[in-house]
Amino acid sequence: MEDKDKQFMFKAIELSVESVNNNGGPFGAVIVKDGKIVSAMSNKVTQYNDPTAHAEVNAIREACKVLNTFDLSGCEIYTSCEPCPMCLGAIYWARLDKIYFANTKTDAKNIGFDDSFIYEELEKPYTERKIPTVQIFRTEALKGFQAWEQKTDKTEY
């Protein structure tokens, strides 16, 4: 472990503690590019009334604004806890190069943040999920995909 890793992780941990003190969840995340912090955010779910306002997602959104791009290749994320399924998906979509985390998903589960049900739900057929999931109008919806496929000046992501 290098000193820079310690510095960035300690910042993420500091953000997680500050978040708790400000009535937020105990999570912080820092995105780094070329050895410099691009964004440093905490969990804002209760402050924003937004269930997607996790620290990692907030940090990704801020880094994309700062760098004026949706592609965070060349960046790394330091997060105070192992990312949940939503955040992990966002990290992959953002193309971050590396993930460093401190607390584990088991540590999070032990204080009431249990994401295991999401992984379990994804493995189930649509008809067996807790939230009723019904596919309708696929043929009509394919028109959007066809338009995308035929578009010659699209910005791929």
Side-chain angles (χ1 to χ4, degrees):
M1 178 181 68
E2 296 182 32
D3 284 343
K4 67 175 183 64
D5 295 327
K6 182 178 176 181
Q7 170 194 347
F8 299 141
M9 183 56 77
F10 281 13
K11 178 65 177 174
I13 293 167
E14 176 187 323
L15 287 165
S16 74
V17 174
E18 286 176 10
S19 183
V20 172
N21 293 333
N22 291 311
N23 297 316
F27 305 98
V30 172
I31 294 181
V32 174
K33 182 171 181 141
D34 299 325
K36 294 186 175 111
I37 293 177
V38 176
S39 68
M41 300 293 288
S42 64
N43 178 286
K44 302 283 187 195
V45 170
T46 55
Q47 290 94 330
Y48 295 174
N49 289 319
D50 179 352
T52 69
H54 290 200
E56 297 91 337
V57 171
N58 291 337
I60 288 168
R61 288 175 178 155
E62 181 65 20
C64 288
K65 283 181 195 172
V66 168
L67 298 173
N68 194 33
T69 184
F70 55 80
D71 183 344
L72 297 179
S73 297
C75 297
E76 299 176 336
I77 189 165
Y78 293 77
T79 179
S80 64
C81 187
E82 185 175 358
C84 75
M86 177 184 69
C87 293
L88 187 59
I91 289 166
Y92 274 94
W93 280 116
R95 297 183 180 95
L96 287 156
D97 289 356
K98 195 169 190 177
I99 304 167
Y100 296 88
F101 70 91
N103 292 318
T104 67
K105 61 185 173 185
T106 302
D107 296 328
K109 179 180 179 177
N110 290 340
I111 62 164
F113 294 93
D114 185 4
D115 300 321
S116 58
F117 74 97
I118 296 172
Y119 292 108
E120 292 165 7
E121 284 289 296
L122 290 171
E123 295 298 319
K124 293 179 183 178
Y126 299 142
T127 56
E128 294 177 21
R129 293 183 180 173
K130 289 182 183 169
I131 297 176
T133 305
V134 182
Q135 181 184 25
I136 60 174
F137 300 110
R138 179 177 177 262
T139 301
E140 292 78 3
L142 283 171
K143 291 175 187 169
F145 282 8
Q146 291 162 350
W148 173 261
E149 198 170 39
Q150 294 167 4
K151 187 171 174 62
T152 57
D153 62 341
K154 60 189 166 203
T155 302
E156 296 196 29
Y157 58 96

